Amino acid sequence: MKKLISLICVASLLLGLVGCDKQPGNTASNGEYQPPRKTSTYAIVVKDRNNQYMQSMISGFQAACDELGVNAISNGPDTPSAAEQVEIINDLIEKEVSVIAIAANDAEALSPSLQIAIDRGIKVVSLDSAVAASGRQLHIQQARPKKVGRVLIQAAAEIIEGSGKLAVLSSTENAPNQNDWIKWMKAEYDENPDKYAGIEWTEIVYGNDDSELSQAKTRELLEKYGEELKIIIAPTVVGMEAAAKVITETGSNTKLTGLGLPSQMSKYFTSDDGICPWMYLWNVIDAGYLAAYAAHALESGEIKGDPTDVFMAGRLGAKVVDDAEDGGYEVLLGDPIKVDKKNILIWESAY
Ligand code: RAM
């Protein structure tokens, strides 16, 4: 069968037909491949531009756009503000971009503007942090929120051997992704009272993905609960780095886990009994890369964005559209990756 498909491809190429080469482009009359003209502009809008995580996501998005032969532009506020994201969306609608890929600072607040974008024919996908189902065509889900939330509190319990106080250092109060993960952490905690009997869930504090504020919030937690605070879970890379810094500076015995960037966290993974024995993340670059391919599949008509639709996502291979927890549709990147002392050196040079 494979042989037959290859033969058809070769024959088609010889006849100057398109469609069998993996790269989008054209075959000129002399048979030579010509890259497509860059007529489409794909925009990625991040939560905030000062976050290294967002910059890595942009780089993956741009790499995919280069492969697809489309223009890539990126934007985002200086701080994680939904109101500023709305202004950016409105500007992109004016500019008549082909695609908006957005990491939402608020699920609902962005929806009306994004609906206008969709009505004007712009393909809209969210990534990293989902916009409400009504304001997008697809969400690029880095890992199932249920898995992320459960695995974080399971890790915390294991690290502190089932006993002591726990606190959560999050990003902003309205962040769709962090709130989703915290919801599942809490569900895991509440559904398993025996397992977590020795652990007291104290409170959630918000550092707004601002390093200074996140450090201040960590200091407050350490002062308030003292040595009884056995662990902080930070489901944000900014929070992770800030908490690690403060715990190290103060010499506290409080442990840390969460979602951290290997490049920022590797210096805290120097010994087995270090402040952060292990944490989780996913391939941030791939999240951006997948968003561009998913949007391209929508734009080219390869998919409509319905469940079970399948498209080719470049080096990531075939990806399938699935139902999302929020009632919309999504494309899953993979599972949360456990990052520990052994493998952090592999990841730290990438992101
Ligand atoms: C922060 C951002 C982002 C989140 C990561 C883990 O940098 O809030 O949305 O996915 O952490």
Side-chain angles (χ1 to χ4, degrees), residues 89-314:
I89 294 164
N90 292 341
D91 180 54
L92 292 171
I93 295 172
E94 286 289 305
K95 288 195 168 104
E96 300 184 342
V97 297
S98 304
V99 162
I100 297 176
I102 186 158
N105 282 316
D106 187 301
E108 300 298 334
L110 309 183
S111 229
S113 303
L114 291 171
Q115 276 170 22
I116 294 172
I118 293 170
D119 289 346
R120 302 260 179 100
I122 297 173
K123 303 301 174 197
V124 175
V125 301
S126 53
L127 74 162
D128 178 58
S129 183
V131 73
S134 58
R136 68 170 201 247
Q137 288 159 292
L138 286 175
H139 177 61
I140 309 308
Q141 189 66 273
Q142 52 269 51
R144 295 244 183 265
K146 192 193 269 190
K147 271 197 187 172
V148 176
R150 288 191 190 275
V151 92
L152 286 179
I153 189 141
Q154 286 163 0
E158 202 181 324
I159 291 168
I160 62 171
E161 294 172 350
S163 150
K165 291 187 173 163
L166 166 161
V168 177
L169 169 63
S170 190
S171 59
T172 57
E173 280 191 53
N174 292 332
N177 51 348
Q178 270 87 17
N179 284 350
D180 227 5
W181 299 325
I182 292 170
K183 178 186 87 187
W184 285 110
M185 279 184 218
K186 201 74 179 45
E188 166 74 14
Y189 179 80
D190 291 340
E191 287 165 12
N192 299 284
D194 290 346
K195 185 173 175 189
Y196 299 105
I199 295 181
E200 186 188 331
W201 176 301
T202 61
E203 61 181 305
I204 305 165
V205 296
Y206 299 91
N208 291 356
D209 269 355
D210 172 274
S211 181
E212 294 299 320
L213 185 61
S214 302
Q215 288 179 48
K217 292 290 173 187
T218 306
R219 257 182 236 110
E220 280 172 28
L221 286 174
L222 296 181
E223 278 161 21
K224 189 166 170 187
Y225 299 104
E227 290 296 307
E228 287 182 4
L229 183 66
K230 294 295 180 208
I231 194 157
I232 295 174
I233 304 178
T236 143
V237 307
V238 179
M240 278 294 277
E241 194 188 21
K245 194 163 182 275
V246 172
I247 292 172
T248 307
E249 278 169 9
T250 56
S252 160
N253 287 323
T254 302
K255 299 279 182 190
L256 174 70
T257 192
L259 304 172
L261 267 186
S263 57
Q264 294 175 339
M265 291 297 294
S266 62
K267 60 174 175 287
Y268 300 106
F269 277 71
T270 45
S271 67
D272 285 332
D273 60 354
I275 59 166
C276 179
W278 72 88
M279 62 181 188
Y280 294 85
L281 204 68
W282 36 84
N283 190 318
V284 189
I285 297 169
D286 285 353
Y289 182 91
L290 179 55
Y293 267 93
H296 185 262
L298 287 169
E299 195 199 12
S300 67
E302 187 181 356
I303 57 169
K304 285 203 178 103
D306 296 329
T308 74
D309 278 359
V310 178
F311 62 97
M312 291 306 292

Side-chain angles (χ1 to χ4, degrees), residues 262 266 339-350:
S266 62
V339 181
D340 58 19
K341 195 183 147 220
K342 287 194 285 283
N343 66 8
I344 196 162
L345 298 175
I346 302 169
W347 301 113
E348 68 167 352
S349 56

Side-chain angles (χ1 to χ4, degrees), residues 23 38 44 55-72 285-286 288-290 292-293 314-315:
Q23 298 294 324
K38 293 191 174 182
I44 181 168
Q55 291 302 328
S56 296
M57 214 163 64
I58 290 173
S59 74
F61 185 83
Q62 279 171 336
C65 287
D66 286 348
E67 289 175 14
L68 291 162
V70 298
N71 291 311
I285 297 169
D286 285 353
Y289 182 91
L290 179 55
Y293 267 93
R315 60 177 162 72

